Amino acid sequence: MKKTFPENFLWGGATAANQYEGGYKEGGRGLATSDFITNGSAERPRKITIQLKDGTKKMVNRRPTGNPKVDTIPEGASGYIDENIYYPSHNAVDFYHHYEEDIALFGEMGFKCFRLSLSWSRIFPKGGIDGEEPNEEGLKFYEDVFKECKKYNIEPLVTLYHFETPAYLAEHFNGWGGRETIDCFLRMCKEVFTRYKDLVKYWITINEINVLNGYAFMGTREADSEVRYQAKHHMFVASALANKLCHEINPDAKIGCMVALSCIYPKDCKPENVFGALDYRRGALIYSDVMMRGYYPSYADRLFEEMGATIKKQPGDDEIIKANPSDFLSFSYYRSSVYHTEIVQNTDTGGQMGDANPFVEKTEWGWAIDPIGLRYTLSELYDRYQKPLFIVENGMGTIDKQDKNGYVEDDYRIQYFRDHIAEMKKAVTLDGVDLMGYTPWGCIDLVSAGTGEMKKRYGFIYVDLDDEGNGTLKRTKKKSFDWFKKVIATNGEDLSL
Ligand code: BG6
């Protein structure tokens, strides 16, 4: 039995370009679907601003409603930017101009690893269409970022696709709905695997593949099951081919998949609820099953039939997926929820949602706080795959109040992490889970993906910016900063306040 975390355990933090980087018009970057998403709140859903072929401008829901009539973006429409609207991803919290300062703070906390995503349209403004040259300024930006990480012995963990599609690919190929996007993605992968061969060892292909749907997340005009699951099949093929490329270019690199796997419990021991919970969970596990095992699981056909989707495969697709499984499974874990037969099935950032669990507390945004659920999930996944796992998102979004010196006493956050790390440790030491690392989400405050708000804060570092984009962007350490620094310094031994 292991006594503690492995020596080389990758403690760190996680971010994504569309919520953190900013600089949307700088350095030759092309537009991405995330650039057209307005801000919102828990009550006011985010919208996408589009322009129809005839020039009419309108707003559509960012999160599909399930009604194809409302959700479908007409052919020929494209995203447009309304100068009078605030789009949080445009400047986000401006990592683009603050990367040296931010990475120095991560270094001070003792990070071993920093998760960030590439803005695809910064590397290839049109997404890497046939004959397109990569954007040197974009490539250089990430090279500088990775070199900065090396100064502090921080391993970059790089997500290749996180919630943004180059707008050009959305317009011309229906995003991931079109097979052409697979080739474009692979051109981008080849470019970055080669260019950063000596700087990046850890890669993730597609963030939270299970929650993706519609224009905002996949660049598709439609959000119905047919297009959604066809696009996912394209992503499976693209992911497998990216794994292959990565290993060919750098045999020492590790490349993983990423699924939102916040856990689901049955409401009670009523057999329909117990089996129902297992089957509902398959809606998320199907993704890791395909990418970790290399084939569609036995329940897949029935699941697709129930959802009204038929997957069109090309000859050779199954063989590609089979030959190139992921090296590790990375996942987000935020909360648990409860399944029963009357549940309204839906997904959100962070994964499947069910009903509230009366036995656990909730955050201000209604996400259940359930540390034991993390041990449960780690055990569930390791029992299933017997391959390394990586927790690449975990944390609580809260309203943080600064005192007159700008300091935030976020004891609630420390408590959340303390309890989750304690359970994670049990999974490693008592259950024998092979866990590569732990990168809490939004280690520095950034824009919420779900609501577009800034006030839903996750970080160890406070960033002065409000929900309308006002603020100095000043970075200030919160109380949890020093606490997490101590946790890392003791390799998870000292969790005391
Ligand atoms: C995950 C995403 O869904 O959850 C992140 O990978 C996201 O991009 C995170 O930010 C937390 O969700 P939210 O809505 O609180 O930002």
Side-chain angles (χ1 to χ4, degrees):
M1 238 168 24
K2 283 196 202 99
K3 291 222 155 31
T4 185
F5 294 104
E7 264 313 296
N8 55 357
F9 193 73
L10 293 166
W11 296 99
T15 62
N18 76 96
Q19 294 161 258
Y20 181 43
E21 188 175 284
Y24 88 111
K25 264 190 182 162
E26 291 179 67
R29 180 184 176 279
L31 290 175
T33 50
S34 49
D35 296 330
F36 311 118
I37 306 176
T38 68
N39 65 348
S41 68
E43 301 75 35
R44 192 168 45 85
R46 303 184 75 180
K47 302 276 183 187
I48 308 168
T49 47
I50 57 159
Q51 178 160 12
L52 306 184
K53 228 180 186 167
D54 65 4
T56 317
K57 294 173 172 151
K58 68 184 249 189
M59 286 197 186
V60 295
N61 293 315
R62 194 276 305 253
R63 196 184 303 290
T65 58
N67 175 358
K69 276 207 181 118
V70 180
D71 295 337
T72 306
I73 293 179
E75 193 157 359
S78 51
Y80 92 99
I81 290 168
D82 182 329
E83 296 307 325
N84 300 314
I85 290 178
Y86 173 56
Y87 298 89
S89 71
H90 288 186
N91 299 315
V93 291
D94 200 23
F95 175 64
Y96 194 71
H97 296 108
H98 290 76
Y99 70 90
E100 285 159 308
E101 180 186 352
D102 290 358
I103 295 168
L105 284 165
F106 301 153
E108 187 183 333
M109 249 190 292
F111 277 18
K112 313 280 181 219
C113 175
F114 165 46
R115 177 176 178 222
L116 72 165
S117 73
L118 302 178
S119 171
W120 182 350
S121 57
R122 194 179 285 295
I123 311 278
F124 279 108
K126 290 184 176 166
I129 54 167
D130 202 8
E132 185 185 1
E133 288 297 317
N135 170 32
E136 176 51 34
E137 240 185 299
L139 285 166
K140 175 78 170 58
F141 167 67
Y142 291 116
E143 183 175 326
D144 292 345
V145 165
F146 301 147
K147 285 188 171 156
E148 203 61 26
C149 289
K150 288 288 157 196
K151 277 194 198 164
Y152 302 93
N153 291 322
I154 296 173
E155 291 290 348
L157 168 62
V158 182
T159 315
L160 292 156
Y161 184 82
H162 193 132
F163 293 178
E164 54 178 309
T165 311
Y168 189 94
L169 299 184
E171 274 171 44
H172 292 81
F173 305 134
N174 205 21
W176 283 100
R179 261 194 101 97
E180 297 90 337
T181 296
I182 302 178
D183 295 333
C184 297
F185 179 71
L186 291 168
R187 279 186 205 111
M188 192 266 287
C189 289
K190 187 168 182 202
E191 196 61 43
V192 299
F193 292 154
T194 311
R195 172 81 172 230
Y196 308 130
K197 186 171 181 286
D198 300 323
L199 293 168
V200 178
K201 261 205 322 242
Y202 300 100
W203 298 92
I204 290 173
T205 50
I206 294 172
N207 181 68
E208 290 195 341
I209 182 168
N210 52 326
V211 309
L212 307 180
N213 196 9
Y215 180 85
F217 289 154
M218 294 198 295
T220 56
R221 279 188 301 277
E222 310 80 0
D224 55 81
S225 294
E226 193 70 33
V227 174
R228 181 176 192 201
Y229 291 99
Q230 186 61 45
K232 298 293 173 86
H233 177 70
H234 294 157
M235 288 182 156
F236 289 146
V237 175
S239 234
L241 288 170
N243 295 346
K244 181 168 185 273
L245 254 183
C246 179
H247 291 139
E248 281 165 6
I249 295 170
N250 183 4
D252 294 331
K254 299 275 175 232
I255 182 158
C257 56
M258 199 296 197
V259 186
L261 287 166
S262 291
C263 71
I264 301 285
Y265 304 131
K267 183 182 173 195
D268 52 33
C269 54
K270 186 178 170 195
E272 285 82 353
N273 289 340
V274 175
F275 181 76
L278 181 148
D279 204 38
Y280 182 45
R281 183 66 165 165
R282 284 174 167 163
L285 291 174
I286 185 171
Y287 295 90
S288 38
D289 281 355
V290 173
M291 294 187 287
M292 297 298 286
R293 293 169 168 163
Y295 54 90
Y296 280 91
S298 53
Y299 56 84
D301 286 349
R302 192 224 347 132
L303 217 72
F304 290 138
E305 200 179 302
E306 282 170 8
M307 286 181 300
T310 29
I311 310 290
K312 288 178 225 59
K313 295 181 185 172
Q314 278 197 3
D317 283 359
D318 281 335
E319 290 71 15
I320 289 170
I321 293 171
K322 178 82 197 166
N324 303 289
S326 307
D327 293 328
F328 61 90
L329 166 57
S330 68
F331 67 99
S332 58
Y333 174 87
Y334 287 95
R335 55 167 185 259
S336 59
S337 51
V338 168
Y339 176 88
H340 56 88
T341 47
E342 290 82 42
I343 201 172
V344 182
Q345 301 203 5
N346 57 15
T347 52
D348 194 358
T349 48
Q352 292 173 306
M353 286 281 249
D355 267 0
N357 183 341
F359 297 100
V360 298
E361 302 273 305
K362 288 197 223 103
T363 69
E364 284 151 310
W365 272 264
W367 291 19
I369 303 173
D370 180 6
I372 294 177
L374 178 58
R375 181 177 177 193
Y376 176 96
T377 304
L378 284 162
S379 297
E380 174 195 35
L381 300 176
Y382 197 62
D383 287 355
R384 196 170 180 111
Y385 302 117
Q386 297 282 300
K387 276 200 195 173
L389 304 178
F390 202 148
I391 304 165
V392 295
E393 288 187 33
N394 175 234
M396 76 188 299
T398 58
I399 295 173
D400 289 341
K401 296 240 162 36
Q402 290 181 291
D403 68 13
K404 61 180 188 314
N405 303 315
Y407 191 62
V408 176
E409 287 220 34
D410 52 348
D411 293 298
Y412 40 88
R413 179 166 292 108
I414 296 176
Q415 189 64 47
Y416 177 100
F417 282 127
R418 218 180 135 173
D419 295 346
H420 282 77
I421 294 172
E423 292 300 322
M424 171 172 103
K425 191 168 173 186
K426 286 184 202 160
V428 170
T429 56
L430 305 177
D431 306 323
V433 171
D434 182 358
L435 186 62
M436 294 168 66
Y438 179 65
T439 56
W441 175 249
C443 47
I444 175 165
D445 291 346
L446 39 66
V447 175
S448 158
T451 65
E453 293 165 310
M454 265 312 291
K455 68 168 182 283
K456 189 181 186 191
R457 295 174 182 273
Y458 286 87
F460 303 112
I461 300 162
Y462 189 92
V463 179
D464 179 30
L465 189 74
D466 70 15
D467 291 343
E468 275 71 47
N470 307 304
T472 61
L473 294 171
K474 183 169 183 268
R475 276 68 170 147
T476 310
K477 297 175 209 170
K478 300 180 196 173
K479 187 173 178 184
S480 54
F481 182 101
D482 289 312
W483 177 81
F484 197 47
K485 180 176 175 180
K486 179 183 65 182
V487 171
I488 298 177
T490 60
N491 199 22
E493 281 306 291
D494 187 353
L495 300 180
S496 66
L497 273 177

